[in-house]
Amino acid sequence: MFKTHKAGRDDSWEGVIVNKSRGMLDGSNMYHFVEIRIADDEPTKVRISRRLWKSVAVGDRIIKRPGADPVKG
């Protein structure tokens, strides 16, 4: 689907969160990630905003529509 952690603007997917993580990959900025399972595929790690990361939990559904940021579904 996509190779980078940051979802592309035109990507579209819907899945269930199986894990949350965060880290300072470059040593100065905090990045927030969720691992999502999309329709029986292997989990995929996606970077999301801090606000969304704080509002979701494992088991929540997350939706990404073309041209929009991921949202809790």
Side-chain angles (χ1 to χ4, degrees), residues 24-49:
M24 296 179 73
L25 304 179
D26 60 5
S28 64
N29 294 308
M30 182 66 72
Y31 295 97
H32 298 82
F33 300 98
V34 288
E35 201 169 322
I36 58 172
R37 183 174 304 275
I38 301 171
D40 298 330
D41 288 341
E42 287 193 25
T44 303
K45 196 172 193 180
V46 179
R47 192 173 113 194
I48 61 173
S49 69

Side-chain angles (χ1 to χ4, degrees), residues 4-73:
T4 64
H5 290 304
K6 180 126 171 118
R9 226 35 211 157
D10 295 330
D11 288 343
S12 176
W13 44 260
E14 183 173 339
V16 176
I17 297 172
V18 295
N19 191 20
K20 287 174 53 174
S21 63
R22 62 185 181 167
M24 296 179 73
L25 304 179
D26 60 5
S28 64
N29 294 308
M30 182 66 72
Y31 295 97
H32 298 82
F33 300 98
V34 288
E35 201 169 322
I36 58 172
R37 183 174 304 275
I38 301 171
D40 298 330
D41 288 341
E42 287 193 25
T44 303
K45 196 172 193 180
V46 179
R47 192 173 113 194
I48 61 173
S49 69
R50 177 179 182 259
R51 177 179 280 179
L52 179 59
W53 188 87
K54 290 179 86 175
S55 71
V56 296
V58 173
D60 287 348
R61 181 164 296 281
I62 190 169
I63 301 168
K64 165 73 173 84
R65 300 285 177 230
D69 292 329
V71 294
K72 185 175 177 179

